Amino acid sequence: MSQNTSSAVMQQRHEAHDSLDFFPTPPWATRALCACLAEADPALKGKRAWDPACGTGDMVRPLSEFFELAYGSDVHPYGAGAVRDFLLHGDEPVFDWIITNPPFRLAEEFAEKMIGLARCGAAILVRTAFLEGVGRHSKLFSRRPPQTILQFVERVPMHRGRLVENGSTATAYCWIVWLCRPHKPVPADRTAFAWIPPCRRILERPGDYALVAA
Ligand SMILES: C[S@@+](CC[C@H](N)C(=O)[O-])C[C@H]1O[C@@H](n2cnc3c(N)ncnc32)[C@H](O)[C@@H]1O
C-alpha cells in the first residue's frame, strides 16, 4: 500500500532539531490580527511593536501599517532586521506589543518571554493544535491564560523559506493573544474565543508577494 503524503494529510511540520523553522507569514494574516487589536484599542496607532523572530520581515511590514513603529529582529541574519537570539537574556528593548509567528519547537519559550516583556500585549501565530496538550496546559495556559484565541476560518498557507502566493495547506492556524500589564490576569476559564472570518481577499495588498517574484 502506498503512503499518502498529500498536503491534506501531512499536517505536521517535521523539522530537524536544529532547524530555524523559517516559515514566513502571508501579510494578510498579520493584518487580520492587527484589525482585531485596533478595534479593541483605538490608540494602537500610537504604540510600538516588535517581531522578535522576523525572518525576512513579512510580519514587520504589515505591523508597520497599524503601529507607530514596527521593529524586527531574528537570530539569523536574513537582512530584514537586527540580529539577536530572543531567548538569550539581557538588554531587551521595550515595546508595547510583541507579536510573532515563533519557531514551532520554541513557541512556548517565546510565549513566556513575550508575555513577560511586553508592556501591553503579546500575540503568537501558531498551529491550532498548539492549544492541546497536558504539558503545555500545565506549563503555559493554566499559568498564563490568554485573553483571546482568534481562529482563522480560512487556511493560512505557509511554506518553508518563502512566501507562496497561491500556496495551500491542510493545517489550521490561530492567533493567541495575551494582555499584559496593566491588565488584570485573565482567569483560566475566561479565555475568549472568536473566529477570524474570511478576510484574505480584502486584506491582501499589491506587493505583498513582490519579494517572492523578484
Ligand atoms: C516561523 S518563522 C517566522 C518569521 C516571521 N516572523 C514571519 O512571520 O514571517 C520563525 C523565525 O524564527 C527565527 N528564530 C528561530 N530561533 C530563534 C531565536 N532563538 N531567536 C530569534 N529568532 C529565532 C527563525 O530564524 C525564523 O525566521
Side-chain angles (χ1 to χ4, degrees):
M1 193 182 350
S2 66
Q3 191 183 9
N4 188 341
T5 55
S6 75
S7 61
V9 172
M10 297 185 68
Q11 295 201 28
Q12 295 195 335
R13 291 177 183 169
H14 296 286
E15 287 291 294
H17 181 65
D18 59 353
S19 164
L20 291 175
D21 201 4
F22 176 41
F23 286 74
T25 304
W28 67 269
T30 302
R31 292 189 187 106
L33 167 74
C34 292
C36 295
L37 299 182
E39 197 177 310
D41 177 7
L44 196 74
K45 190 69 187 163
K47 294 183 173 155
R48 295 150 49 97
W50 176 18
D51 176 352
C54 70
T56 44
D58 300 288
M59 192 167 270
V60 174
R61 285 191 292 280
L63 287 175
S64 70
E65 299 163 11
F66 290 84
F67 288 87
E68 177 187 42
L69 180 146
Y71 169 79
S73 61
D74 197 287
V75 73
H76 185 76
Y78 295 96
V83 177
R84 68 180 301 142
D85 184 335
F86 182 62
L87 298 179
L88 289 183
H89 295 286
D91 199 24
E92 282 90 353
V94 176
F95 280 87
D96 299 307
W97 278 88
I98 306 181
I99 297 171
T100 198
N101 169 0
F104 187 73
R105 70 187 169 81
L106 298 173
E108 280 176 53
E109 290 94 323
F110 263 70
E112 292 272 9
K113 184 155 183 185
M114 291 164 68
I115 298 164
L117 280 181
R119 289 177 53 195
C120 298
I124 58 172
L125 177 63
V126 288
R127 294 185 296 184
T128 303
F130 183 81
L131 296 173
E132 66 184 13
V134 174
R136 188 170 296 132
H137 177 262
S138 154
K139 279 195 289 185
L140 178 62
F141 294 130
S142 68
R143 293 178 47 237
R144 307 302 303 254
Q147 202 243 355
T148 311
I149 292 163
L150 299 168
Q151 172 64 47
F152 281 97
V153 168
E154 293 166 288
R155 288 286 159 85
V156 183
M158 284 192 247
H159 296 263
R160 182 199 298 277
R162 64 201 170 96
L163 280 182
V164 178
E165 183 166 7
N166 297 310
S168 64
T169 181
T171 305
Y173 283 90
C174 66
W175 282 103
I176 306 179
V177 182
W178 288 266
L179 293 184
C180 307
R181 303 172 296 260
H183 300 275
K184 278 192 271 181
V186 176
D189 59 350
R190 294 289 166 82
T191 295
F193 177 92
W195 281 276
I196 298 177
C199 58
R200 173 176 178 167
R201 200 173 51 78
I202 56 170
L203 291 180
E204 282 188 323
R205 303 278 179 270
D208 276 354
Y209 303 94
L211 293 177
V212 178

Coordinates of all heavy atoms in Angstrom, one line a residue, residues 43-113:
A43 N -6.2 53.5 20.4 CA -4.9 54.1 20.5 C -3.7 53.3 19.9 O -2.5 53.6 20.1 CB -4.6 54.5 22.0
L44 N -4.0 52.2 19.3 CA -3.0 51.3 18.8 C -2.0 52.0 17.9 O -0.8 51.7 17.9 CB -3.6 50.1 18.1 CG -2.7 48.9 17.8 CD1 -2.5 48.1 19.1 CD2 -3.3 47.9 16.8
K45 N -2.5 52.9 17.1 CA -1.6 53.5 16.1 C -0.5 54.3 16.8 O 0.6 54.6 16.1 CB -2.5 54.5 15.3 CG -1.8 55.0 14.0 CD -1.5 54.0 13.0 CE -0.7 54.6 11.8 NZ -0.1 53.6 11.0
G46 N -0.6 54.6 18.1 CA 0.5 55.3 18.8 C 1.4 54.4 19.5 O 2.3 54.8 20.3
K47 N 1.3 53.1 19.3 CA 2.1 52.1 20.0 C 3.1 51.5 19.1 O 3.1 51.7 17.9 CB 1.2 51.1 20.7 CG 0.3 51.8 21.7 CD -0.6 50.8 22.5 CE -1.3 51.7 23.6 NZ -2.5 51.1 24.0
R48 N 4.1 50.8 19.8 CA 5.2 50.2 19.1 C 5.2 48.7 19.2 O 4.9 48.2 20.3 CB 6.5 50.8 19.7 CG 6.6 52.3 19.5 CD 7.4 53.0 20.6 NE 8.6 52.3 20.9 CZ 9.8 52.7 20.5 NH1 10.0 53.7 19.7 NH2 10.9 52.0 20.8
A49 N 5.6 48.1 18.1 CA 5.5 46.6 18.1 C 6.9 46.0 17.7 O 7.6 46.6 16.9 CB 4.4 46.1 17.1
W50 N 7.1 44.8 18.2 CA 8.4 44.1 17.9 C 8.1 42.7 17.5 O 7.3 41.9 18.2 CB 9.2 44.1 19.2 CG 10.5 43.3 19.2 CD1 11.2 42.9 18.1 CD2 11.3 42.9 20.3 NE1 12.3 42.2 18.4 CE2 12.4 42.2 19.8 CE3 11.1 43.0 21.7 CZ2 13.4 41.6 20.7 CZ3 12.0 42.4 22.5 CH2 13.1 41.7 22.0
D51 N 8.6 42.3 16.3 CA 8.6 40.9 15.9 C 10.0 40.3 16.2 O 10.9 40.6 15.5 CB 8.3 40.7 14.4 CG 8.3 39.2 14.0 OD1 8.8 38.4 14.8 OD2 8.0 38.9 12.9
P52 N 10.1 39.5 17.3 CA 11.5 39.1 17.7 C 12.0 37.9 16.9 O 13.1 37.3 17.3 CB 11.2 38.7 19.2 CG 9.8 38.3 19.2 CD 9.1 39.0 18.2
A53 N 11.2 37.4 15.9 CA 11.7 36.3 15.1 C 11.2 36.6 13.7 O 10.5 35.9 13.0 CB 11.1 35.0 15.5
C54 N 11.8 37.8 13.1 CA 11.2 38.4 12.0 C 11.5 37.8 10.6 O 10.8 38.2 9.6 CB 11.5 39.9 12.0 SG 13.3 40.2 11.6
G55 N 12.4 36.9 10.6 CA 12.7 36.3 9.3 C 13.0 37.4 8.2 O 13.9 38.3 8.5
T56 N 12.4 37.4 7.1 CA 12.6 38.4 6.1 C 11.6 39.5 6.2 O 11.4 40.3 5.2 CB 12.5 37.7 4.7 OG1 11.3 36.8 4.7 CG2 13.7 36.9 4.4
G57 N 11.0 39.7 7.3 CA 10.2 40.9 7.6 C 8.8 40.9 7.1 O 8.1 41.9 7.0
D58 N 8.3 39.7 6.8 CA 6.9 39.7 6.3 C 5.8 39.9 7.3 O 4.7 40.2 6.9 CB 6.7 38.3 5.6 CG 7.8 38.0 4.5 OD1 7.7 38.7 3.5 OD2 8.8 37.3 4.8
M59 N 6.2 39.9 8.5 CA 5.2 40.3 9.6 C 5.5 41.8 10.0 O 4.5 42.5 10.3 CB 5.4 39.4 10.8 CG 4.2 39.5 11.8 SD 4.3 38.1 13.0 CE 3.3 36.9 12.1
V60 N 6.7 42.2 9.9 CA 7.0 43.6 10.3 C 6.4 44.6 9.4 O 5.8 45.6 9.8 CB 8.6 43.8 10.3 CG1 8.9 45.3 10.6 CG2 9.2 42.9 11.4
R61 N 6.4 44.3 8.1 CA 5.8 45.2 7.1 C 4.3 45.5 7.4 O 3.9 46.6 7.6 CB 6.0 44.7 5.7 CG 7.4 44.9 5.2 CD 7.6 44.6 3.7 NE 7.4 43.3 3.4 CZ 8.3 42.3 3.5 NH1 9.5 42.6 4.0 NH2 8.1 41.1 3.2
P62 N 3.4 44.5 7.6 CA 2.0 44.8 7.9 C 1.9 45.4 9.3 O 1.0 46.2 9.5 CB 1.3 43.5 7.8 CG 2.4 42.4 7.7 CD 3.6 43.1 7.2
L63 N 2.8 45.0 10.2 CA 2.7 45.6 11.6 C 2.9 47.1 11.5 O 2.3 47.9 12.2 CB 3.7 45.0 12.5 CG 3.5 43.6 13.0 CD1 4.7 43.1 13.9 CD2 2.2 43.5 13.9
S64 N 3.8 47.6 10.6 CA 4.1 49.0 10.5 C 2.9 49.8 9.9 O 2.8 51.0 10.1 CB 5.3 49.2 9.6 OG 5.0 48.9 8.2
E65 N 1.9 49.1 9.4 CA 0.7 49.8 8.9 C -0.2 50.1 10.0 O -1.1 51.0 9.9 CB 0.0 48.9 7.9 CG 0.8 48.6 6.7 CD 0.2 47.4 5.9 OE1 -1.0 46.9 6.2 OE2 0.9 46.8 5.0
F66 N -0.1 49.4 11.2 CA -1.0 49.6 12.3 C -0.4 50.2 13.5 O -1.1 50.6 14.4 CB -1.6 48.2 12.6 CG -2.5 47.6 11.6 CD1 -2.1 46.9 10.5 CD2 -3.9 47.8 11.7 CE1 -2.9 46.4 9.6 CE2 -4.8 47.3 10.8 CZ -4.3 46.6 9.7
F67 N 0.9 50.2 13.6 CA 1.6 50.7 14.8 C 2.4 51.9 14.4 O 2.8 52.1 13.2 CB 2.5 49.6 15.4 CG 1.8 48.5 16.1 CD1 1.3 47.4 15.3 CD2 1.5 48.6 17.4 CE1 0.6 46.4 16.0 CE2 0.8 47.5 18.1 CZ 0.4 46.4 17.3
E68 N 2.7 52.7 15.4 CA 3.6 53.9 15.2 C 5.0 53.4 14.6 O 5.6 54.0 13.8 CB 3.8 54.6 16.5 CG 4.7 55.8 16.4 CD 5.0 56.4 17.8 OE1 5.1 55.7 18.8 OE2 5.0 57.7 17.9
L69 N 5.4 52.3 15.2 CA 6.7 51.8 14.8 C 6.7 50.3 14.9 O 6.1 49.7 15.8 CB 7.8 52.4 15.7 CG 9.3 52.0 15.5 CD1 10.2 53.1 15.9 CD2 9.6 50.7 16.3
A70 N 7.3 49.6 13.9 CA 7.4 48.2 14.0 C 8.9 47.8 13.8 O 9.6 48.3 12.8 CB 6.6 47.5 12.9
Y71 N 9.4 47.0 14.7 CA 10.8 46.6 14.8 C 10.9 45.1 14.6 O 10.1 44.4 15.1 CB 11.4 47.1 16.1 CG 12.7 46.6 16.5 CD1 13.9 47.2 16.0 CD2 12.9 45.6 17.4 CE1 15.2 46.8 16.4 CE2 14.2 45.2 17.8 CZ 15.3 45.8 17.3 OH 16.5 45.4 17.7
G72 N 12.0 44.7 13.9 CA 12.2 43.2 13.8 C 13.6 42.8 14.2 O 14.5 43.6 14.0
S73 N 13.7 41.6 14.7 CA 15.0 41.0 14.9 C 14.8 39.5 14.7 O 13.7 39.0 14.8 CB 15.5 41.3 16.4 OG 14.6 40.8 17.3
D74 N 15.9 38.9 14.5 CA 15.9 37.4 14.3 C 17.3 36.9 14.7 O 18.3 37.6 14.6 CB 15.6 37.1 12.8 CG 15.2 35.6 12.6 OD1 16.0 34.7 12.7 OD2 14.0 35.4 12.4
V75 N 17.4 35.6 15.0 CA 18.6 35.0 15.4 C 19.5 34.8 14.1 O 20.8 34.8 14.2 CB 18.4 33.7 16.1 CG1 17.9 32.6 15.1 CG2 19.6 33.2 16.8
H76 N 18.9 34.8 13.0 CA 19.6 34.6 11.7 C 19.6 35.9 10.9 O 18.6 36.6 10.9 CB 18.9 33.5 10.9 CG 19.7 33.1 9.7 ND1 20.8 32.4 9.7 CD2 19.5 33.4 8.4 CE1 21.3 32.2 8.4 NE2 20.5 32.8 7.6
P77 N 20.8 36.2 10.3 CA 20.8 37.5 9.5 C 20.2 37.4 8.2 O 20.8 37.2 7.2 CB 22.3 37.7 9.4 CG 23.0 36.4 9.5 CD 22.1 35.5 10.3
Y78 N 18.8 37.5 8.1 CA 18.1 37.5 6.9 C 18.2 38.8 6.1 O 17.8 38.9 5.0 CB 16.6 37.1 7.1 CG 16.4 35.8 7.6 CD1 16.2 35.6 9.0 CD2 16.3 34.7 6.8 CE1 15.9 34.4 9.5 CE2 16.0 33.4 7.3 CZ 15.8 33.3 8.7 OH 15.6 32.0 9.2
G79 N 18.7 39.8 6.8 CA 18.8 41.1 6.2 C 17.6 42.0 6.3 O 17.5 43.1 5.7
A80 N 16.7 41.6 7.2 CA 15.4 42.4 7.4 C 15.3 43.0 8.8 O 14.2 43.5 9.1 CB 14.2 41.6 7.0
G81 N 16.3 42.9 9.6 CA 16.1 43.4 11.0 C 17.4 43.2 11.8 O 18.4 42.7 11.2
A82 N 17.3 43.5 13.0 CA 18.5 43.3 13.9 C 18.8 41.8 14.1 O 17.9 41.0 13.9 CB 18.3 44.0 15.2
V83 N 20.0 41.5 14.5 CA 20.3 40.1 14.7 C 20.4 39.9 16.2 O 21.3 40.5 16.9 CB 21.6 39.7 14.0 CG1 22.0 38.2 14.3 CG2 21.5 39.8 12.5
R84 N 19.5 39.1 16.8 CA 19.6 38.7 18.2 C 18.8 37.5 18.5 O 17.8 37.2 17.8 CB 19.1 39.9 19.1 CG 17.6 40.2 19.0 CD 17.2 41.3 19.9 NE 17.5 41.1 21.3 CZ 18.0 42.0 22.2 NH1 18.2 43.2 21.8 NH2 18.2 41.6 23.4
D85 N 19.3 36.7 19.4 CA 18.6 35.5 19.9 C 17.6 35.9 20.9 O 18.0 36.4 22.0 CB 19.6 34.5 20.4 CG 19.0 33.2 20.8 OD1 17.7 33.2 21.1 OD2 19.7 32.1 20.9
F86 N 16.3 35.8 20.6 CA 15.3 36.3 21.5 C 15.3 35.6 22.9 O 14.9 36.2 23.9 CB 13.9 36.1 20.9 CG 12.8 36.7 21.7 CD1 12.7 38.0 22.1 CD2 11.8 35.8 22.2 CE1 11.7 38.5 22.8 CE2 10.7 36.3 23.0 CZ 10.7 37.6 23.3
L87 N 15.8 34.4 22.9 CA 15.8 33.6 24.2 C 17.0 33.8 25.0 O 17.1 33.3 26.1 CB 15.6 32.1 23.8 CG 14.3 31.8 23.1 CD1 14.1 30.3 22.8 CD2 13.1 32.3 23.9
L88 N 18.0 34.6 24.5 CA 19.1 35.0 25.4 C 18.7 36.2 26.2 O 17.9 37.1 25.7 CB 20.3 35.3 24.6 CG 21.0 34.2 23.9 CD1 22.3 34.7 23.2 CD2 21.4 33.1 24.9
H89 N 19.1 36.3 27.5 CA 18.7 37.3 28.3 C 19.6 38.5 28.3 O 20.8 38.3 28.1 CB 18.5 36.8 29.8 CG 17.4 35.8 29.8 ND1 16.1 36.1 29.8 CD2 17.5 34.4 29.9 CE1 15.4 35.0 29.8 NE2 16.2 34.0 29.9
G90 N 19.1 39.7 28.5 CA 19.9 40.9 28.7 C 19.6 41.9 27.7 O 19.6 41.6 26.5
D91 N 19.4 43.2 28.1 CA 19.4 44.3 27.3 C 18.2 44.3 26.2 O 18.4 44.7 25.1 CB 20.7 44.5 26.5 CG 20.9 45.9 26.0 OD1 20.3 46.8 26.5 OD2 21.6 46.0 25.0
E92 N 17.1 43.7 26.6 CA 16.0 43.6 25.7 C 15.3 45.0 25.5 O 15.2 45.7 26.5 CB 14.9 42.6 26.2 CG 15.2 41.2 25.9 CD 16.0 40.6 27.1 OE1 16.3 41.3 28.0 OE2 16.2 39.3 27.1
P93 N 15.0 45.4 24.3 CA 14.3 46.6 24.1 C 12.8 46.6 24.7 O 12.3 45.5 24.9 CB 14.2 46.8 22.6 CG 14.4 45.5 22.0 CD 15.2 44.6 23.0
V94 N 12.3 47.7 24.9 CA 10.9 47.8 25.5 C 9.9 48.1 24.4 O 10.1 49.1 23.6 CB 10.9 48.9 26.6 CG1 9.4 49.0 27.1 CG2 11.8 48.6 27.7
F95 N 8.9 47.3 24.3 CA 7.9 47.5 23.3 C 6.5 47.3 23.9 O 6.3 46.6 24.8 CB 8.1 46.6 22.1 CG 9.1 47.1 21.1 CD1 10.5 46.7 21.3 CD2 8.8 47.9 20.1 CE1 11.4 47.2 20.5 CE2 9.8 48.4 19.2 CZ 11.1 48.0 19.4
D96 N 5.5 48.0 23.3 CA 4.1 47.9 23.8 C 3.6 46.5 23.4 O 3.1 45.8 24.3 CB 3.2 48.9 23.1 CG 3.7 50.3 23.5 OD1 3.8 50.6 24.7 OD2 3.9 51.1 22.6
W97 N 3.8 46.1 22.2 CA 3.3 44.8 21.7 C 4.5 44.0 21.2 O 5.3 44.5 20.5 CB 2.3 44.9 20.6 CG 0.9 45.2 21.2 CD1 0.4 46.4 21.5 CD2 -0.1 44.2 21.5 NE1 -0.9 46.3 22.0 CE2 -1.2 45.0 22.0 CE3 -0.2 42.9 21.5 CZ2 -2.4 44.3 22.5 CZ3 -1.3 42.2 21.9 CH2 -2.4 43.0 22.4
I98 N 4.5 42.7 21.5 CA 5.4 41.8 20.9 C 4.6 40.7 20.2 O 3.8 40.0 20.8 CB 6.4 41.1 22.0 CG1 7.1 42.2 22.8 CG2 7.4 40.3 21.3 CD1 8.0 41.7 23.8
I99 N 4.9 40.6 18.9 CA 4.0 39.8 18.0 C 4.9 39.0 17.1 O 5.7 39.5 16.4 CB 3.0 40.7 17.2 CG1 2.1 41.5 18.2 CG2 2.2 39.9 16.2 CD1 1.3 42.6 17.5
T100 N 4.6 37.7 17.0 CA 5.4 36.9 16.1 C 4.7 35.6 15.7 O 3.7 35.1 16.4 CB 6.8 36.6 16.6 OG1 7.6 36.2 15.5 CG2 6.8 35.5 17.7
N101 N 5.2 35.0 14.7 CA 5.0 33.6 14.3 C 6.3 32.9 14.8 O 7.3 32.9 14.1 CB 4.8 33.5 12.8 CG 4.8 32.1 12.3 OD1 4.9 31.1 13.0 ND2 4.6 31.9 11.0
P102 N 6.2 32.3 16.0 CA 7.5 31.8 16.6 C 8.0 30.5 15.9 O 7.2 29.8 15.3 CB 7.1 31.5 18.0 CG 5.7 31.2 18.0 CD 5.1 32.0 16.8
P103 N 9.3 30.2 16.0 CA 9.8 28.9 15.6 C 9.0 27.8 16.4 O 8.9 27.9 17.6 CB 11.3 28.9 16.0 CG 11.4 30.0 17.0 CD 10.3 31.0 16.7
F104 N 8.4 26.8 15.7 CA 7.4 26.0 16.4 C 8.0 25.3 17.6 O 7.3 25.2 18.6 CB 6.9 25.0 15.4 CG 5.7 24.2 16.0 CD1 4.5 24.8 16.2 CD2 5.9 22.9 16.4 CE1 3.5 24.1 16.7 CE2 4.8 22.2 17.0 CZ 3.6 22.8 17.1
R105 N 9.2 24.8 17.5 CA 9.7 24.0 18.6 C 10.1 24.8 19.8 O 10.3 24.3 20.9 CB 10.9 23.1 18.2 CG 12.1 23.8 17.9 CD 13.2 23.0 17.3 NE 14.3 23.9 16.9 CZ 15.2 24.4 17.6 NH1 15.2 24.1 18.9 NH2 16.1 25.2 17.2
L106 N 10.1 26.2 19.6 CA 10.4 27.1 20.8 C 9.2 28.0 21.1 O 9.4 28.9 21.9 CB 11.6 28.0 20.4 CG 12.9 27.3 20.1 CD1 14.0 28.3 19.6 CD2 13.5 26.6 21.4
A107 N 8.1 27.6 20.6 CA 6.9 28.5 20.8 C 6.6 28.8 22.2 O 6.2 29.9 22.6 CB 5.7 28.0 20.0
E108 N 6.7 27.8 23.1 CA 6.3 28.0 24.5 C 7.3 29.0 25.2 O 6.9 29.9 25.9 CB 6.3 26.7 25.3 CG 5.1 25.9 25.0 CD 5.2 24.5 25.7 OE1 5.5 24.5 26.9 OE2 5.0 23.5 25.0
E109 N 8.6 28.8 24.9 CA 9.6 29.7 25.5 C 9.4 31.1 25.0 O 9.5 32.1 25.7 CB 11.0 29.2 25.1 CG 11.4 27.9 25.8 CD 11.1 26.7 25.0 OE1 10.1 26.6 24.3 OE2 12.0 25.7 25.0
F110 N 9.1 31.2 23.7 CA 8.8 32.5 23.1 C 7.6 33.2 23.8 O 7.7 34.3 24.2 CB 8.6 32.4 21.6 CG 9.8 32.7 20.8 CD1 10.8 31.9 20.7 CD2 9.9 33.9 20.0 CE1 12.0 32.1 19.9 CE2 11.0 34.2 19.2 CZ 12.0 33.3 19.2
A111 N 6.5 32.4 23.9 CA 5.3 33.0 24.6 C 5.6 33.5 26.0 O 5.3 34.6 26.3 CB 4.2 32.0 24.6
E112 N 6.3 32.7 26.8 CA 6.6 33.0 28.1 C 7.4 34.3 28.2 O 7.1 35.2 28.9 CB 7.5 32.0 28.8 CG 6.8 30.6 29.1 CD 6.1 30.6 30.4 OE1 6.0 31.7 31.1 OE2 5.6 29.6 30.8
K113 N 8.4 34.4 27.3 CA 9.2 35.6 27.4 C 8.5 36.8 26.8 O 8.6 37.9 27.4 CB 10.5 35.4 26.6 CG 11.5 36.5 26.7 CD 12.9 36.2 26.5 CE 13.8 37.4 26.7 NZ 15.2 37.2 26.4

